[in-house]
């Protein structure tokens, strides 16, 4: 196999496997900002992407798809249960999201996590050309940077953490806290969504490993007695904003937005929530605030409808099973108490939709509610802003979402403060068009200027600078 100069390592491949009625296999490019952002780099560098194909026990030879060499990593059913559903999503996910749900620490999960990370690291090391750049993605693969550096010290290694990194008081609960920090410090550049996340990481390194940290640099000892500097800083991720602008201008999508309003009974105000069904997203807080506004008489169900899209997520994890039951019970109770024959208080949709339908929903919605209790970024907020080519609509945005650092003219809220959330929803509904326009134009400038291509460029530029600095010190 020809070795690649640029290798991405992620839990999933950038394609989905499709098998037709005749049993013939094909691969379809997955939707998502990361795939879009890296596609030009992958093509230009004849890059390779290492990842799981998304199906347990599927063994598949490397193959080319749309200009990228794909290297599938096989995961058994046990691997999926222990490494992915267990360690990644029942330990790291709740711990890194401020213990909104209690993380569980099981040694058998950790053993599987180590084993799978070793498998990913070996696949990446085998794929990379001498002196290549390898970019590792997210919390499922936190040990890969160090494993790669040990196997291939010639590589330039980057790592991006797509979710929050917790404060030390929470992180210190992790039994394998040192191993994870050492794993991440195998990278030359460690990227985070927020400045606060990078700061939390640096504090954990100081407390646990006693390494020197200055500004964004961490001095990491090497086996030969020398030291190198790993950069840990914020690179806030974004979206392919122009694609949302293009879709929002299409007449058929604008017509679909009008159809959506019509199907909801043409209320004066449509409020929208779009989330994975996850306890970090604050869906319960949003529903509680909306239900109380109707109960208080501050919102009339004839005039306002909340559309809640909750796409299925981790449906075999117990915390998610319980969350779905709780949310659906809340929706049923509110609708049972306040629906009329012509209007529904909450239109609840437990399903995913294609991007075109989502853009139509964004255009139909007068108010976008992002009430996350903790979120690395929340790209839905940026998608809503990009789609509002009419410079209308109001974004209500949790201060605990990474997007709030950038989107300063949104209406910021603390979702735990239900009374303040209710007041902000009313303010959003009643906001005059001139104020909507002023705020939305500012939001749109930020999102359009800082798109996902700018994000990938900034990270790769930092990696190139780190590589140059390392060569200079040899």
């Amino acid at each position: 196999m020809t070795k690649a100069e640029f290798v991405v390592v992620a839990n999933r491949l950038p394609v989905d496997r499709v098998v037709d009625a005749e049993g013939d296999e094909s691969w379809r490019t997955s939707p998502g900002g990361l795939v879009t952002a890296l596609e030009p780099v992958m093509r230009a560098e004849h890059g390779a992407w290492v990842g799981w194909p998304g199906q347990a026990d599927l063994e598949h030879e490397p193959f080319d798809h749309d200009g990228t060499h794909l290297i599938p990593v096989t995961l058994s059913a046990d691997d999926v249960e222990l490494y992915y559903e267990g360690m990644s999503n029942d330990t790291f996910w709740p711990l890194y999201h401020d213990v909104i749900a209690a993380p569980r620490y099981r040694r058998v999960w950790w053993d599987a996590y180590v084993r799978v990370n070793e498998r990913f690291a070996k696949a990446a090391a085998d794929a990379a050309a001498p002196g290549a750049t390898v970019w590792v993605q997210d919390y499922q693969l936190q040990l890969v940077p160090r494993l790669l550096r040990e196997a291939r010290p010639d590589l330039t290694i980057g790592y991006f953490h797509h979710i929050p990194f917790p404060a030390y008081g929470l992180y210190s609960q992790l039994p394998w806290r040192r191993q994870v920090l050492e794993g991440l410090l195998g990278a030359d550049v460690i990227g985070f969504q927020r400045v606060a996340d990078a700061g939390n990481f640096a504090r954990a390194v100081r407390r646990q490993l006693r390494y020197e940290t200055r500004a964004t640099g961490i001095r990491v000892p090497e086996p030969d007695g020398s030291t190198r500097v790993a950069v840990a800083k914020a690179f806030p991720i974004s979206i392919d904003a122009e694609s949302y602008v293009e879709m929002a201008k299409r007449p058929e999508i604008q017509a679909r937005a009008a159809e959506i309003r019509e199907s909801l009974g043409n209320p004066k105000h449509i409020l929208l929530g779009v989330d994975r069904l996850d306890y970090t997203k604050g869906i319960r807080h949003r529903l509680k605030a909306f239900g109380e506004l109707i109960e208080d008489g501050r919102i009339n169900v004839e005039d306002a409808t909340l559309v809640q899209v909750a796409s299925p997520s981790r449906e075999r994890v117990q915390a998610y099973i319980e969350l779905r039951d709780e949310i659906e019970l809340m929706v049923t109770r509110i609708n049972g108490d306040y629906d009329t024959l012509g209007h529904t208080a909450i239109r609840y949709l437990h399903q995913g939709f294609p991007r075109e339908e989502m853009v139509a929903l964004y255009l139909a919605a007068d108010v976008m509610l992002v009430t996350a209790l903790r979120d690395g970024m929340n790209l839905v907020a940026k998608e809503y802003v990009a789609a509002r080519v009419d410079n209308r609509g109001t974004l209500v945005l949790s201060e605990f979402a990474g997007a709030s650092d950038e989107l300063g003219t949104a209406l910021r809220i603390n979702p735990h403060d239900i009374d303040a959330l209710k007041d902000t929803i009313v303010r959003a509904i009643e906001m005059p068009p001139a104020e909507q326009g002023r705020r939305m134009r500012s939001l749109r400038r930020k999102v359009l200027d800082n798109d996902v291509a700018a994000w990938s460029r900034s990270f790769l530029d930092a990696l190139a600078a780190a590589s140059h600095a390392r060569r200079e010190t040899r």
Side-chain angles (χ1 to χ4, degrees):
M1 183 191 102
T2 303
K3 303 291 186 178
E5 296 292 339
F6 181 68
V7 180
V8 171
V9 191
N11 180 61
R12 286 291 301 271
L13 288 174
V15 291
D16 297 317
R17 183 171 178 260
V18 179
V19 180
D20 63 22
E22 284 74 42
D24 294 327
E25 174 190 86
S26 62
W27 296 88
R28 179 179 58 212
T29 300
S30 305
L34 182 64
V35 179
T36 303
L38 297 183
E39 184 181 31
V41 186
M42 302 299 279
R43 287 177 182 274
E45 301 286 348
H46 305 289
W49 190 304
V50 175
W52 175 46
Q55 182 177 327
D57 298 308
L58 176 63
E59 297 189 15
H60 204 290
E61 290 298 312
F63 62 99
D64 292 325
H65 176 84
D66 208 14
T68 299
H69 189 65
L70 303 182
I71 303 170
V73 174
T74 301
L75 298 184
S76 68
D78 278 350
D79 291 333
V80 174
E81 179 184 350
L82 303 175
Y83 143 81
Y84 183 68
E85 294 176 351
M87 193 69 209
S88 295
N89 292 324
D90 217 353
T91 300
F92 285 125
W93 182 269
L95 177 64
Y96 285 15
H97 286 85
D98 291 359
V99 195
I100 294 166
R104 295 196 291 163
Y105 306 111
R106 295 189 58 193
R107 286 168 291 179
V108 66
W109 291 355
W110 173 253
D111 292 342
Y113 187 84
V114 172
R115 187 170 62 247
V116 171
N117 271 244
E118 289 172 344
R119 202 177 307 158
F120 275 85
K122 183 179 186 310
D126 290 346
T133 295
V134 180
W135 193 0
V136 184
Q137 305 291 331
D138 221 4
Y139 67 104
Q140 301 95 344
L141 302 174
Q142 294 173 98
L143 306 183
V144 169
R146 182 179 182 181
L147 293 166
L148 269 177
R149 185 163 297 283
E150 291 171 347
R152 294 285 307 275
D154 60 301
L155 299 175
T156 298
I157 302 166
Y159 170 88
F160 189 77
H161 198 74
H162 291 258
I163 66 174
F165 196 91
Y168 181 73
L170 295 176
Y171 180 77
S172 61
Q173 296 179 21
L174 183 67
W176 309 281
R177 56 200 182 182
R178 290 180 65 91
Q179 294 95 312
V180 169
L181 295 175
E182 289 167 347
L184 294 174
L185 287 170
D188 295 290
V189 177
I190 306 138
F192 297 91
Q193 300 281 24
R194 308 181 81 166
V195 172
D197 295 325
N200 287 342
F201 174 74
R203 278 186 286 275
V205 169
R206 286 198 300 273
R207 295 285 294 274
Q208 279 297 313
L209 304 179
R210 306 296 180 186
Y211 293 171
E212 179 186 349
T213 64
R214 288 187 178 179
T216 60
I218 299 172
R219 196 164 290 281
V220 182
E222 293 282 67
D224 63 3
S226 65
T227 61
R228 63 180 176 84
V229 175
V231 174
K233 61 179 289 189
F235 298 87
I237 199 170
S238 194
I239 61 170
D240 179 15
E242 200 54 49
S243 70
Y244 284 88
V245 171
E246 183 274 325
M247 279 188 281
K249 290 179 176 179
R250 282 159 49 183
E252 67 273 21
I253 289 181
Q254 294 179 0
R256 175 59 187 147
E259 285 179 10
I260 289 170
R261 293 195 75 96
E262 182 72 28
S263 70
L264 294 171
N266 276 321
K268 291 180 182 176
H269 311 288
I270 295 176
L271 296 81
L272 177 64
V274 176
D275 312 87
R276 282 190 310 104
L277 187 59
D278 192 290
Y279 48 75
T280 66
K281 302 300 184 181
I283 301 172
R284 287 173 292 198
H285 298 64
R286 185 181 311 158
L287 296 177
K288 181 176 178 62
F290 187 73
E292 287 188 11
L293 284 170
I294 300 173
E295 182 181 5
D296 297 345
R298 298 175 69 186
I299 284 180
N300 188 319
V301 76
E302 301 273 337
D303 295 332
T305 295
L306 170 61
V307 178
Q308 177 61 57
V309 177
S311 57
S313 176
R314 299 169 189 157
E315 295 185 283
R316 300 201 305 178
V317 177
Q318 186 60 34
Y320 290 78
I321 296 170
E322 293 171 2
L323 175 68
R324 180 180 179 182
D325 288 344
E326 184 178 349
I327 285 175
E328 292 182 355
L329 181 60
M330 287 183 74
V331 170
T332 300
R333 283 178 173 168
I334 293 169
N335 284 346
D337 287 343
Y338 302 113
D339 277 7
T340 67
L341 289 175
H343 293 84
T344 295
I346 301 170
R347 182 68 60 87
Y348 173 76
L349 303 162
H350 182 243
Q351 53 195 280
F353 292 96
R355 281 208 305 170
E356 289 80 2
E357 184 74 353
M358 292 311 307
V359 171
L361 272 168
Y362 294 148
L363 288 173
D366 304 289
V367 177
M368 183 81 216
L369 298 177
V370 177
T371 58
L373 307 181
R374 192 76 165 93
D375 216 334
M377 177 54 61
N378 194 287
L379 295 179
V380 163
K382 295 187 175 184
E383 291 171 3
Y384 178 72
V385 168
R388 293 312 304 230
V389 293
D390 57 354
N391 289 316
R392 288 292 180 269
T394 305
L395 174 62
V396 175
L397 179 59
S398 168
E399 64 190 68
F400 303 118
S404 68
D405 289 355
E406 300 174 88
L407 304 182
T409 56
L411 298 184
R412 292 185 7 136
I413 50 98
N414 171 3
H416 299 283
D417 185 346
I418 299 298
D419 285 336
L421 175 56
K422 289 161 61 178
D423 291 344
T424 305
I425 290 173
V426 171
R427 182 184 172 193
I429 287 173
E430 296 177 348
M431 185 176 289
E435 185 181 353
Q436 290 181 35
R438 185 170 65 252
R439 289 175 178 273
M440 187 57 71
R441 279 190 291 273
S442 174
L443 293 173
R444 285 176 55 75
R445 278 195 299 273
K446 181 69 73 171
V447 171
L448 293 171
D449 289 346
N450 298 283
D451 64 0
V452 73
W455 167 76
S456 64
R457 278 196 308 273
S458 67
F459 189 95
L460 293 172
D461 286 348
L463 256 187
S467 175
H468 177 74
R470 194 151 54 89
R471 286 196 303 271
E472 291 289 304
T473 58
R474 282 177 182 169

